[in-house]
Amino acid sequence: MRLRSVLCSTASVVSALALLSACGGGSTTAASSGDKPLVGVDYPRSDTDFWNSYIKYTPQFGKELGLDLKTTNSQNDVAKLTANAQTFMSQGVKGVAMAPQDTAAIAPTLAQMEAKKIPVVTVDTRPDSGKVYMVVRADNRAYGEKACRFLGTKLGGKGKVVMLQGGLDSINGRDRTEAFNECMKKNYPGIKVFGEATNWDGAIAAQKLQTDLTANPDIKGVYMQSSFALSGTLQVLKQRGLLVDPKNKKHVFVVSNDGIPEELKSIAAGKIDATVSQPADLYAKYALYYLKAAIDGKKFKPGKTDHDSTIIQVRPGLLEDQLSAPLVTADGGTYGGVPSVKSDDKALWGNNLG
């Protein structure tokens, strides 16, 4: 496999492993002597189906890439992430993959690792400041845009929707929120949006949705910024007699983010209507791929890749590989100009978990 954005003297490379061995240039590492480079992977949390899927994929791709993994779990706590990073450094890791949920507070830790010349790849989130080797992430603004286009089309540009936001201390929560609001204001000004901050907490999301529906029983749409809110949203709608077939006039249109198996099943059953499939498998794969590349001294530049993504320069010295994240619906139709794939498509990672 070859990334067109790699600056490499070898003209033709047919696999990721061949790429990483053929395009050397950094200092000698354990990889060159046949040993497996030791890298650290911090899992951000294990209380959601999405992140549990990421955790499942990580050792699989670590083995494929010939990496020895040390893993920790920071449990959505930046203080624990900082402590875990210290542990990794004491263990002599050659690189670290992490997914900081507080994207501002991680800066001092990144600076310390940079000083020790330990490359960092962040997954799913992008630090507000500081340097990392690569950000592996989908375009989170596109998440909000796609959700807006779907709901705007389904509601015919009129009505009320609730947006169950994630955490606004995260670049993901901010990107999804801003893009959704901007899209609604520009394209569907007849739709009123109730934005509810939830800090990625399902119980808070359910309580705020319940409050909004009590005050506004004519709400016809819900945008959940992550599958963390799926169970609570379905429970609230069921309690209020609104969990009905999409053809029923009482139906409330629901769009989620993640693409976990339960979302895909709920779309097929008519309980929710759409999701944006965030690639848990590719997050694990390319986080480790770029760590291996960093250890081997590779350099990348902005541009299209051959795995349906684009590397962009976020700011000087910071690159982000924006992986594909399709809109998923029951019919695979196009909504507000946004194409979708059917929920039973076997290419979706959520349909391929063992």
Side-chain angles (χ1 to χ4, degrees):
M1 174 172 55
R2 176 179 63 86
L3 285 172
R4 287 193 294 272
S5 57
V6 181
L7 294 180
C8 171
S9 60
T10 303
S12 176
V13 183
V14 296
S15 72
L17 290 176
L19 167 69
L20 296 172
S21 62
C23 308
S27 59
T28 301
T29 68
S32 65
S33 64
D35 297 330
K36 295 181 179 180
L38 179 64
V39 301
V41 179
D42 182 80
Y43 302 134
R45 55 199 303 168
S46 55
D47 58 349
T48 71
D49 289 343
F50 177 82
W51 284 113
N52 282 331
S53 298
Y54 171 79
I55 290 170
K56 179 179 179 181
Y57 282 118
T58 297
Q60 171 189 328
F61 290 115
K63 183 178 181 180
E64 289 183 11
L65 286 165
L67 297 171
D68 187 13
L69 305 184
K70 291 286 188 180
T71 63
T72 56
N73 192 320
S74 52
Q75 300 174 337
N76 201 27
D77 185 332
V78 71
K80 289 182 179 179
L81 175 55
T82 298
N84 292 343
Q86 297 294 328
T87 298
F88 286 147
M89 286 186 277
S90 70
Q91 292 172 330
V93 299
K94 301 296 184 181
V96 173
M98 62 172 67
Q101 303 296 283
D102 186 330
T103 52
I106 195 60
T109 299
L110 294 179
Q112 186 177 11
M113 300 187 86
E114 181 186 7
K116 292 181 177 293
K117 301 187 184 305
I118 298 174
V120 175
V121 172
T122 64
V123 183
D124 181 55
T125 62
R126 180 177 70 227
D128 294 357
S129 61
K131 294 182 180 180
V132 299
Y133 179 79
M134 181 69 75
V135 177
V136 175
R137 187 171 176 253
D139 183 350
N140 277 246
R141 288 190 63 85
Y143 289 2
E145 175 85 16
K146 290 174 182 179
C148 162
R149 294 287 185 172
F150 181 84
L151 288 175
T153 299
K154 285 294 187 181
L155 272 61
K158 298 179 181 180
K160 300 175 182 178
V161 302
V162 177
M163 173 169 52
L164 298 174
Q165 301 163 328
L168 298 183
D169 59 350
S170 161
I171 186 66
N172 290 354
R174 296 196 297 272
D175 275 359
R176 297 175 199 185
T177 296
E178 291 169 4
F180 186 82
N181 282 333
E182 289 171 11
C183 171
M184 280 293 182
K185 182 177 180 180
K186 178 181 178 180
N187 300 289
Y188 310 104
I191 293 179
K192 180 175 177 57
V193 177
F194 297 94
E196 301 290 1
T198 70
N199 196 34
W200 309 111
D201 187 308
I204 294 174
Q207 182 270 319
K208 291 192 173 183
L209 177 60
Q210 184 77 268
T211 299
D212 284 336
L213 284 168
T214 298
N216 300 272
D218 55 343
I219 285 172
K220 298 299 294 181
V222 178
Y223 169 37
M224 307 182 300
Q225 288 190 359
S226 168
S227 59
F228 76 93
L230 179 63
S231 177
T233 294
L234 293 179
Q235 184 177 11
V236 169
L237 294 178
K238 184 176 181 180
Q239 289 172 348
R240 302 185 72 91
L242 300 175
L243 194 61
V244 295
D245 187 87
K247 295 180 180 178
N248 191 309
K249 292 182 179 180
K250 294 174 65 178
H251 182 77
V252 175
F253 293 95
V254 179
V255 184
S256 188
N257 272 156
D258 279 346
I260 63 172
E262 193 60 34
E263 287 176 324
L264 303 183
K265 293 175 184 176
S266 294
I267 292 173
K271 294 180 180 179
I272 70 171
D273 304 274
T275 189
V276 179
S277 181
Q278 184 170 221
D281 54 344
L282 299 185
Y283 278 4
K285 179 177 182 177
Y286 287 104
L288 295 177
Y289 174 85
Y290 285 116
L291 273 188
K292 185 73 159 60
I295 293 168
D296 286 355
K298 309 304 173 294
K299 301 295 183 182
F300 296 84
K301 65 180 181 180
K304 294 287 186 180
T305 73
D306 64 357
H307 54 272
D308 194 28
S309 70
T310 302
I311 295 178
I312 65 168
Q313 179 172 294
V314 177
R315 56 180 180 262
L318 184 63
L319 299 177
E320 176 174 306
D321 188 356
Q322 295 192 327
L323 303 177
S324 177
L327 178 67
V328 181
T329 62
D331 63 2
T334 297
Y335 295 88
V338 177
S340 69
V341 300
K342 290 186 177 181
S343 59
D344 61 356
D345 191 318
K346 296 303 181 183
L348 296 170
W349 70 266
N351 285 325
N352 290 299
L353 286 177

